[in-house]
Amino acid sequence: MAGVELRQMRYYVAVAEELHFGRAATRLHISTPTLSQQIKQVEREIGTPLLIRHSRGVEITAAGEVFLDHATKTIAAAELALTETRRAAGLDEPELRLGLLNGVPGSLPKALESLASERFPGCKVTPIAGTTTEQLRRLSTGDVDLALIRIPVTLPPATDSAKLAEEELGVLLTATHPLADSTEITLDQLRDHELIWIQREAAPEFYDDAIERLGGPGLRISSTAMSHSQLRSALLVRPDAITLGSRRAADSEIVWRPIQGHPLIATYTAIWRTDSRNPVLRAMTVSPGLTTMRKHVVDL
């Protein structure tokens, strides 16, 4: 493995994550033939196939999974070494890369930015939006320092967490929907209407937990899944459908109704790597810090 370059590891990780050479090449801004040639060179160096190529994309071999794990860690270690060296030389301003969950209440990033500024004056906070799945991946690769996610979720190794806020989710529907006159929505009413919701891969454990709490297989879940930002538009296009969300999304066109007897709670949690050497993050997580910040977050 001594002959495998860091650049080639990055190429392999991109292919393994995309499971498609074309998409990975676009992401890396190189040509597909060049990317394929580089991966073959890595496989020759290691002495075994890492990917199984087929017309629809690629599959990762058992050896490829092992290499992916080590390559991901090596890339993260290299980036950390570069970042810490530059900081030690005074070449970089202190920065916290904050992974923001799509749809997170605005009070949470504001509170985190305030805590960062209080604990490390002059620091820079860079927000990076994405789903729970994307934030977990970015945290593991070192692309974010602190991430906001919804639980339940299985946390990666060597991570710590702090619950920050809870928010009740209910039913969102157009003001002209037949159920808009109801003060609460029952589970039976919920089952009678098509539910448009987020893509499961955006937060698998949160998704499965919510669906189970609301009736499991009895729900009429639409085959058209949407990102969080698209749900409101989907309702306006499909006024006969419903979705799940927070009271914050309600306006003159969209109304929010609680679910009778089955409150669905979204718990927003901050997670970070315990081996991170980011000075802003370290300052924020020193007690009293994130673990006590929940008291100061405005009720949602």
PDB file of all heavy atoms in Angstrom, residues 167-197:
ATOM      1  N   GLU A 167     -38.714  19.207  19.208  1.00  0.00           N
ATOM      2  CA  GLU A 167     -39.760  19.906  18.474  1.00  0.00           C
ATOM      3  C   GLU A 167     -40.829  18.895  18.066  1.00  0.00           C
ATOM      4  O   GLU A 167     -40.516  17.811  17.568  1.00  0.00           O
ATOM      5  CB  GLU A 167     -39.164  20.580  17.240  1.00  0.00           C
ATOM      6  CG  GLU A 167     -40.156  21.329  16.389  1.00  0.00           C
ATOM      7  CD  GLU A 167     -39.491  22.014  15.213  1.00  0.00           C
ATOM      8  OE1 GLU A 167     -38.547  21.424  14.630  1.00  0.00           O
ATOM      9  OE2 GLU A 167     -39.898  23.137  14.880  1.00  0.00           O
ATOM     10  N   GLU A 168     -42.075  19.247  18.300  1.00  0.00           N
ATOM     11  CA  GLU A 168     -43.158  18.344  17.907  1.00  0.00           C
ATOM     12  C   GLU A 168     -43.422  18.451  16.408  1.00  0.00           C
ATOM     13  O   GLU A 168     -43.546  19.550  15.859  1.00  0.00           O
ATOM     14  CB  GLU A 168     -44.444  18.673  18.665  1.00  0.00           C
ATOM     15  CG  GLU A 168     -45.592  17.725  18.302  1.00  0.00           C
ATOM     16  CD  GLU A 168     -46.882  18.008  19.051  1.00  0.00           C
ATOM     17  OE1 GLU A 168     -46.899  18.969  19.863  1.00  0.00           O
ATOM     18  OE2 GLU A 168     -47.871  17.285  18.830  1.00  0.00           O
ATOM     19  N   LEU A 169     -43.483  17.301  15.766  1.00  0.00           N
ATOM     20  CA  LEU A 169     -43.848  17.244  14.356  1.00  0.00           C
ATOM     21  C   LEU A 169     -45.317  16.842  14.242  1.00  0.00           C
ATOM     22  O   LEU A 169     -45.802  16.009  15.002  1.00  0.00           O
ATOM     23  CB  LEU A 169     -42.977  16.233  13.604  1.00  0.00           C
ATOM     24  CG  LEU A 169     -41.470  16.458  13.653  1.00  0.00           C
ATOM     25  CD1 LEU A 169     -40.763  15.420  12.788  1.00  0.00           C
ATOM     26  CD2 LEU A 169     -41.105  17.865  13.198  1.00  0.00           C
ATOM     27  N   GLY A 170     -45.998  17.452  13.320  1.00  0.00           N
ATOM     28  CA  GLY A 170     -47.400  17.115  13.086  1.00  0.00           C
ATOM     29  C   GLY A 170     -47.654  16.965  11.605  1.00  0.00           C
ATOM     30  O   GLY A 170     -46.729  16.721  10.823  1.00  0.00           O
ATOM     31  N   VAL A 171     -48.904  17.130  11.214  1.00  0.00           N
ATOM     32  CA  VAL A 171     -49.295  16.981   9.815  1.00  0.00           C
ATOM     33  C   VAL A 171     -49.363  18.360   9.166  1.00  0.00           C
ATOM     34  O   VAL A 171     -49.984  19.288   9.699  1.00  0.00           O
ATOM     35  CB  VAL A 171     -50.662  16.279   9.707  1.00  0.00           C
ATOM     36  CG1 VAL A 171     -51.101  16.189   8.245  1.00  0.00           C
ATOM     37  CG2 VAL A 171     -50.583  14.888  10.321  1.00  0.00           C
ATOM     38  N   LEU A 172     -48.722  18.496   8.029  1.00  0.00           N
ATOM     39  CA  LEU A 172     -48.807  19.699   7.207  1.00  0.00           C
ATOM     40  C   LEU A 172     -49.688  19.407   6.005  1.00  0.00           C
ATOM     41  O   LEU A 172     -49.537  18.366   5.351  1.00  0.00           O
ATOM     42  CB  LEU A 172     -47.418  20.145   6.748  1.00  0.00           C
ATOM     43  CG  LEU A 172     -46.476  20.682   7.828  1.00  0.00           C
ATOM     44  CD1 LEU A 172     -45.071  20.838   7.270  1.00  0.00           C
ATOM     45  CD2 LEU A 172     -46.983  22.005   8.375  1.00  0.00           C
ATOM     46  N   LEU A 173     -50.613  20.295   5.714  1.00  0.00           N
ATOM     47  CA  LEU A 173     -51.517  20.109   4.590  1.00  0.00           C
ATOM     48  C   LEU A 173     -51.987  21.475   4.105  1.00  0.00           C
ATOM     49  O   LEU A 173     -51.857  22.474   4.811  1.00  0.00           O
ATOM     50  CB  LEU A 173     -52.702  19.234   4.980  1.00  0.00           C
ATOM     51  CG  LEU A 173     -53.619  19.672   6.131  1.00  0.00           C
ATOM     52  CD1 LEU A 173     -54.920  18.890   6.068  1.00  0.00           C
ATOM     53  CD2 LEU A 173     -52.989  19.436   7.494  1.00  0.00           C
ATOM     54  N   THR A 174     -52.497  21.522   2.906  1.00  0.00           N
ATOM     55  CA  THR A 174     -52.945  22.802   2.364  1.00  0.00           C
ATOM     56  C   THR A 174     -54.183  23.282   3.112  1.00  0.00           C
ATOM     57  O   THR A 174     -54.940  22.482   3.678  1.00  0.00           O
ATOM     58  CB  THR A 174     -53.276  22.688   0.868  1.00  0.00           C
ATOM     59  OG1 THR A 174     -54.341  21.742   0.696  1.00  0.00           O
ATOM     60  CG2 THR A 174     -52.058  22.230   0.073  1.00  0.00           C
ATOM     61  N   ALA A 175     -54.389  24.582   3.098  1.00  0.00           N
ATOM     62  CA  ALA A 175     -55.543  25.160   3.788  1.00  0.00           C
ATOM     63  C   ALA A 175     -56.859  24.718   3.170  1.00  0.00           C
ATOM     64  O   ALA A 175     -57.914  24.804   3.808  1.00  0.00           O
ATOM     65  CB  ALA A 175     -55.432  26.686   3.758  1.00  0.00           C
ATOM     66  N   THR A 176     -56.813  24.208   1.927  1.00  0.00           N
ATOM     67  CA  THR A 176     -58.035  23.749   1.252  1.00  0.00           C
ATOM     68  C   THR A 176     -58.262  22.248   1.408  1.00  0.00           C
ATOM     69  O   THR A 176     -59.249  21.720   0.905  1.00  0.00           O
ATOM     70  CB  THR A 176     -57.960  24.089  -0.245  1.00  0.00           C
ATOM     71  OG1 THR A 176     -56.796  23.458  -0.818  1.00  0.00           O
ATOM     72  CG2 THR A 176     -57.865  25.594  -0.455  1.00  0.00           C
ATOM     73  N   HIS A 177     -57.351  21.558   2.091  1.00  0.00           N
ATOM     74  CA  HIS A 177     -57.482  20.111   2.272  1.00  0.00           C
ATOM     75  C   HIS A 177     -58.695  19.800   3.162  1.00  0.00           C
ATOM     76  O   HIS A 177     -59.000  20.560   4.095  1.00  0.00           O
ATOM     77  CB  HIS A 177     -56.204  19.563   2.924  1.00  0.00           C
ATOM     78  CG  HIS A 177     -56.070  18.082   2.865  1.00  0.00           C
ATOM     79  ND1 HIS A 177     -56.788  17.227   3.682  1.00  0.00           N
ATOM     80  CD2 HIS A 177     -55.303  17.272   2.075  1.00  0.00           C
ATOM     81  CE1 HIS A 177     -56.455  15.986   3.412  1.00  0.00           C
ATOM     82  NE2 HIS A 177     -55.558  15.990   2.446  1.00  0.00           N
ATOM     83  N   PRO A 178     -59.417  18.686   2.891  1.00  0.00           N
ATOM     84  CA  PRO A 178     -60.586  18.330   3.708  1.00  0.00           C
ATOM     85  C   PRO A 178     -60.294  18.216   5.199  1.00  0.00           C
ATOM     86  O   PRO A 178     -61.179  18.445   6.028  1.00  0.00           O
ATOM     87  CB  PRO A 178     -61.008  16.972   3.134  1.00  0.00           C
ATOM     88  CG  PRO A 178     -60.512  16.985   1.726  1.00  0.00           C
ATOM     89  CD  PRO A 178     -59.244  17.777   1.758  1.00  0.00           C
ATOM     90  N   LEU A 179     -59.047  17.866   5.566  1.00  0.00           N
ATOM     91  CA  LEU A 179     -58.702  17.717   6.978  1.00  0.00           C
ATOM     92  C   LEU A 179     -58.280  19.026   7.637  1.00  0.00           C
ATOM     93  O   LEU A 179     -58.010  19.057   8.843  1.00  0.00           O
ATOM     94  CB  LEU A 179     -57.571  16.690   7.138  1.00  0.00           C
ATOM     95  CG  LEU A 179     -57.874  15.247   6.744  1.00  0.00           C
ATOM     96  CD1 LEU A 179     -56.653  14.363   6.977  1.00  0.00           C
ATOM     97  CD2 LEU A 179     -59.065  14.714   7.536  1.00  0.00           C
ATOM     98  N   ALA A 180     -58.234  20.110   6.860  1.00  0.00           N
ATOM     99  CA  ALA A 180     -57.755  21.378   7.398  1.00  0.00           C
ATOM    100  C   ALA A 180     -58.671  21.917   8.496  1.00  0.00           C
ATOM    101  O   ALA A 180     -58.233  22.678   9.365  1.00  0.00           O
ATOM    102  CB  ALA A 180     -57.613  22.412   6.288  1.00  0.00           C
ATOM    103  N   ASP A 181     -59.936  21.521   8.492  1.00  0.00           N
ATOM    104  CA  ASP A 181     -60.878  21.983   9.509  1.00  0.00           C
ATOM    105  C   ASP A 181     -60.741  21.216  10.820  1.00  0.00           C
ATOM    106  O   ASP A 181     -61.318  21.617  11.839  1.00  0.00           O
ATOM    107  CB  ASP A 181     -62.315  21.854   9.001  1.00  0.00           C
ATOM    108  CG  ASP A 181     -62.605  22.826   7.852  1.00  0.00           C
ATOM    109  OD1 ASP A 181     -61.948  23.878   7.803  1.00  0.00           O
ATOM    110  OD2 ASP A 181     -63.476  22.517   7.024  1.00  0.00           O
ATOM    111  N   SER A 182     -59.996  20.104  10.827  1.00  0.00           N
ATOM    112  CA  SER A 182     -59.799  19.317  12.040  1.00  0.00           C
ATOM    113  C   SER A 182     -58.799  20.020  12.957  1.00  0.00           C
ATOM    114  O   SER A 182     -57.828  20.616  12.486  1.00  0.00           O
ATOM    115  CB  SER A 182     -59.286  17.917  11.700  1.00  0.00           C
ATOM    116  OG  SER A 182     -60.157  17.257  10.799  1.00  0.00           O
ATOM    117  N   THR A 183     -59.040  19.941  14.267  1.00  0.00           N
ATOM    118  CA  THR A 183     -58.086  20.519  15.210  1.00  0.00           C
ATOM    119  C   THR A 183     -56.922  19.570  15.461  1.00  0.00           C
ATOM    120  O   THR A 183     -55.817  19.991  15.815  1.00  0.00           O
ATOM    121  CB  THR A 183     -58.769  20.845  16.542  1.00  0.00           C
ATOM    122  OG1 THR A 183     -59.386  19.660  17.057  1.00  0.00           O
ATOM    123  CG2 THR A 183     -59.828  21.928  16.346  1.00  0.00           C
ATOM    124  N   GLU A 184     -57.145  18.257  15.286  1.00  0.00           N
ATOM    125  CA  GLU A 184     -56.121  17.227  15.398  1.00  0.00           C
ATOM    126  C   GLU A 184     -56.350  16.195  14.305  1.00  0.00           C
ATOM    127  O   GLU A 184     -57.460  16.046  13.803  1.00  0.00           O
ATOM    128  CB  GLU A 184     -56.179  16.527  16.772  1.00  0.00           C
ATOM    129  CG  GLU A 184     -55.841  17.404  17.946  1.00  0.00           C
ATOM    130  CD  GLU A 184     -55.896  16.628  19.255  1.00  0.00           C
ATOM    131  OE1 GLU A 184     -56.861  15.848  19.431  1.00  0.00           O
ATOM    132  OE2 GLU A 184     -54.983  16.776  20.089  1.00  0.00           O
ATOM    133  N   ILE A 185     -55.302  15.489  13.957  1.00  0.00           N
ATOM    134  CA  ILE A 185     -55.397  14.435  12.945  1.00  0.00           C
ATOM    135  C   ILE A 185     -55.242  13.091  13.639  1.00  0.00           C
ATOM    136  O   ILE A 185     -54.257  12.874  14.368  1.00  0.00           O
ATOM    137  CB  ILE A 185     -54.316  14.597  11.858  1.00  0.00           C
ATOM    138  CG1 ILE A 185     -54.377  15.996  11.234  1.00  0.00           C
ATOM    139  CG2 ILE A 185     -54.463  13.517  10.799  1.00  0.00           C
ATOM    140  CD1 ILE A 185     -55.663  16.296  10.516  1.00  0.00           C
ATOM    141  N   THR A 186     -56.189  12.190  13.442  1.00  0.00           N
ATOM    142  CA  THR A 186     -56.085  10.858  14.032  1.00  0.00           C
ATOM    143  C   THR A 186     -55.246   9.962  13.130  1.00  0.00           C
ATOM    144  O   THR A 186     -55.034  10.261  11.946  1.00  0.00           O
ATOM    145  CB  THR A 186     -57.475  10.230  14.211  1.00  0.00           C
ATOM    146  OG1 THR A 186     -58.046   9.974  12.911  1.00  0.00           O
ATOM    147  CG2 THR A 186     -58.400  11.152  15.001  1.00  0.00           C
ATOM    148  N   LEU A 187     -54.796   8.835  13.684  1.00  0.00           N
ATOM    149  CA  LEU A 187     -54.014   7.892  12.877  1.00  0.00           C
ATOM    150  C   LEU A 187     -54.865   7.329  11.743  1.00  0.00           C
ATOM    151  O   LEU A 187     -54.355   7.076  10.646  1.00  0.00           O
ATOM    152  CB  LEU A 187     -53.481   6.760  13.761  1.00  0.00           C
ATOM    153  CG  LEU A 187     -52.365   7.137  14.743  1.00  0.00           C
ATOM    154  CD1 LEU A 187     -51.838   5.899  15.444  1.00  0.00           C
ATOM    155  CD2 LEU A 187     -51.225   7.859  14.039  1.00  0.00           C
ATOM    156  N   ASP A 188     -56.153   7.109  11.987  1.00  0.00           N
ATOM    157  CA  ASP A 188     -57.031   6.605  10.921  1.00  0.00           C
ATOM    158  C   ASP A 188     -57.115   7.610   9.780  1.00  0.00           C
ATOM    159  O   ASP A 188     -57.070   7.233   8.602  1.00  0.00           O
ATOM    160  CB  ASP A 188     -58.432   6.328  11.472  1.00  0.00           C
ATOM    161  CG  ASP A 188     -58.481   5.081  12.338  1.00  0.00           C
ATOM    162  OD1 ASP A 188     -57.574   4.233  12.195  1.00  0.00           O
ATOM    163  OD2 ASP A 188     -59.406   4.956  13.160  1.00  0.00           O
ATOM    164  N   GLN A 189     -57.223   8.885  10.107  1.00  0.00           N
ATOM    165  CA  GLN A 189     -57.250   9.917   9.066  1.00  0.00           C
ATOM    166  C   GLN A 189     -55.923   9.976   8.329  1.00  0.00           C
ATOM    167  O   GLN A 189     -55.877  10.182   7.109  1.00  0.00           O
ATOM    168  CB  GLN A 189     -57.568  11.279   9.688  1.00  0.00           C
ATOM    169  CG  GLN A 189     -58.994  11.432  10.178  1.00  0.00           C
ATOM    170  CD  GLN A 189     -59.203  12.744  10.905  1.00  0.00           C
ATOM    171  OE1 GLN A 189     -58.392  13.140  11.736  1.00  0.00           O
ATOM    172  NE2 GLN A 189     -60.307  13.420  10.594  1.00  0.00           N
ATOM    173  N   LEU A 190     -54.851   9.779   9.074  1.00  0.00           N
ATOM    174  CA  LEU A 190     -53.518   9.801   8.481  1.00  0.00           C
ATOM    175  C   LEU A 190     -53.377   8.692   7.436  1.00  0.00           C
ATOM    176  O   LEU A 190     -52.815   8.897   6.362  1.00  0.00           O
ATOM    177  CB  LEU A 190     -52.466   9.627   9.581  1.00  0.00           C
ATOM    178  CG  LEU A 190     -51.014   9.998   9.272  1.00  0.00           C
ATOM    179  CD1 LEU A 190     -50.908  11.479   8.965  1.00  0.00           C
ATOM    180  CD2 LEU A 190     -50.115   9.645  10.438  1.00  0.00           C
ATOM    181  N   ARG A 191     -53.924   7.520   7.748  1.00  0.00           N
ATOM    182  CA  ARG A 191     -53.818   6.379   6.830  1.00  0.00           C
ATOM    183  C   ARG A 191     -54.667   6.561   5.576  1.00  0.00           C
ATOM    184  O   ARG A 191     -54.414   5.909   4.557  1.00  0.00           O
ATOM    185  CB  ARG A 191     -54.230   5.090   7.551  1.00  0.00           C
ATOM    186  CG  ARG A 191     -53.323   4.695   8.704  1.00  0.00           C
ATOM    187  CD  ARG A 191     -53.701   3.322   9.242  1.00  0.00           C
ATOM    188  NE  ARG A 191     -52.966   3.017  10.469  1.00  0.00           N
ATOM    189  CZ  ARG A 191     -53.464   3.154  11.693  1.00  0.00           C
ATOM    190  NH1 ARG A 191     -54.711   3.583  11.856  1.00  0.00           N
ATOM    191  NH2 ARG A 191     -52.742   2.863  12.760  1.00  0.00           N
ATOM    192  N   ASP A 192     -55.665   7.417   5.645  1.00  0.00           N
ATOM    193  CA  ASP A 192     -56.571   7.586   4.505  1.00  0.00           C
ATOM    194  C   ASP A 192     -56.026   8.514   3.432  1.00  0.00           C
ATOM    195  O   ASP A 192     -56.658   8.684   2.387  1.00  0.00           O
ATOM    196  CB  ASP A 192     -57.925   8.132   4.995  1.00  0.00           C
ATOM    197  CG  ASP A 192     -58.717   7.092   5.769  1.00  0.00           C
ATOM    198  OD1 ASP A 192     -58.434   5.884   5.576  1.00  0.00           O
ATOM    199  OD2 ASP A 192     -59.593   7.479   6.565  1.00  0.00           O
ATOM    200  N   HIS A 193     -54.882   9.130   3.689  1.00  0.00           N
ATOM    201  CA  HIS A 193     -54.354  10.099   2.729  1.00  0.00           C
ATOM    202  C   HIS A 193     -52.895   9.786   2.389  1.00  0.00           C
ATOM    203  O   HIS A 193     -52.143   9.280   3.220  1.00  0.00           O
ATOM    204  CB  HIS A 193     -54.470  11.518   3.295  1.00  0.00           C
ATOM    205  CG  HIS A 193     -55.890  11.950   3.508  1.00  0.00           C
ATOM    206  ND1 HIS A 193     -56.640  12.574   2.540  1.00  0.00           N
ATOM    207  CD2 HIS A 193     -56.710  11.813   4.582  1.00  0.00           C
ATOM    208  CE1 HIS A 193     -57.849  12.825   3.001  1.00  0.00           C
ATOM    209  NE2 HIS A 193     -57.924  12.375   4.245  1.00  0.00           N
ATOM    210  N   GLU A 194     -52.531  10.109   1.169  1.00  0.00           N
ATOM    211  CA  GLU A 194     -51.166   9.843   0.716  1.00  0.00           C
ATOM    212  C   GLU A 194     -50.175  10.745   1.451  1.00  0.00           C
ATOM    213  O   GLU A 194     -50.368  11.956   1.545  1.00  0.00           O
ATOM    214  CB  GLU A 194     -51.053  10.075  -0.787  1.00  0.00           C
ATOM    215  CG  GLU A 194     -49.681   9.727  -1.355  1.00  0.00           C
ATOM    216  CD  GLU A 194     -49.605   9.927  -2.854  1.00  0.00           C
ATOM    217  OE1 GLU A 194     -50.547  10.509  -3.423  1.00  0.00           O
ATOM    218  OE2 GLU A 194     -48.601   9.512  -3.454  1.00  0.00           O
ATOM    219  N   LEU A 195     -49.134  10.131   1.989  1.00  0.00           N
ATOM    220  CA  LEU A 195     -48.126  10.850   2.755  1.00  0.00           C
ATOM    221  C   LEU A 195     -46.873  11.039   1.904  1.00  0.00           C
ATOM    222  O   LEU A 195     -46.211  10.074   1.525  1.00  0.00           O
ATOM    223  CB  LEU A 195     -47.780  10.079   4.035  1.00  0.00           C
ATOM    224  CG  LEU A 195     -46.626  10.635   4.879  1.00  0.00           C
ATOM    225  CD1 LEU A 195     -47.003  11.994   5.466  1.00  0.00           C
ATOM    226  CD2 LEU A 195     -46.252   9.657   5.989  1.00  0.00           C
ATOM    227  N   ILE A 196     -46.565  12.279   1.588  1.00  0.00           N
ATOM    228  CA  ILE A 196     -45.318  12.605   0.900  1.00  0.00           C
ATOM    229  C   ILE A 196     -44.315  13.003   1.967  1.00  0.00           C
ATOM    230  O   ILE A 196     -44.584  13.901   2.773  1.00  0.00           O
ATOM    231  CB  ILE A 196     -45.509  13.760  -0.102  1.00  0.00           C
ATOM    232  CG1 ILE A 196     -46.551  13.391  -1.156  1.00  0.00           C
ATOM    233  CG2 ILE A 196     -44.182  14.116  -0.766  1.00  0.00           C
ATOM    234  CD1 ILE A 196     -46.867  14.517  -2.124  1.00  0.00           C
ATOM    235  N   TRP A 197     -43.147  12.357   1.966  1.00  0.00           N
ATOM    236  CA  TRP A 197     -42.185  12.692   3.022  1.00  0.00           C
ATOM    237  C   TRP A 197     -40.764  12.614   2.492  1.00  0.00           C
ATOM    238  O   TRP A 197     -40.530  12.427   1.299  1.00  0.00           O
ATOM    239  CB  TRP A 197     -42.384  11.785   4.236  1.00  0.00           C
ATOM    240  CG  TRP A 197     -41.913  12.426   5.504  1.00  0.00           C
ATOM    241  CD1 TRP A 197     -41.853  13.765   5.767  1.00  0.00           C
ATOM    242  CD2 TRP A 197     -41.429  11.761   6.671  1.00  0.00           C
ATOM    243  NE1 TRP A 197     -41.370  13.973   7.036  1.00  0.00           N
ATOM    244  CE2 TRP A 197     -41.103  12.780   7.610  1.00  0.00           C
ATOM    245  CE3 TRP A 197     -41.248  10.433   7.022  1.00  0.00           C
ATOM    246  CZ2 TRP A 197     -40.596  12.480   8.869  1.00  0.00           C
ATOM    247  CZ3 TRP A 197     -40.748  10.144   8.275  1.00  0.00           C
ATOM    248  CH2 TRP A 197     -40.432  11.161   9.193  1.00  0.00           C
TER     249      TRP A 197
END
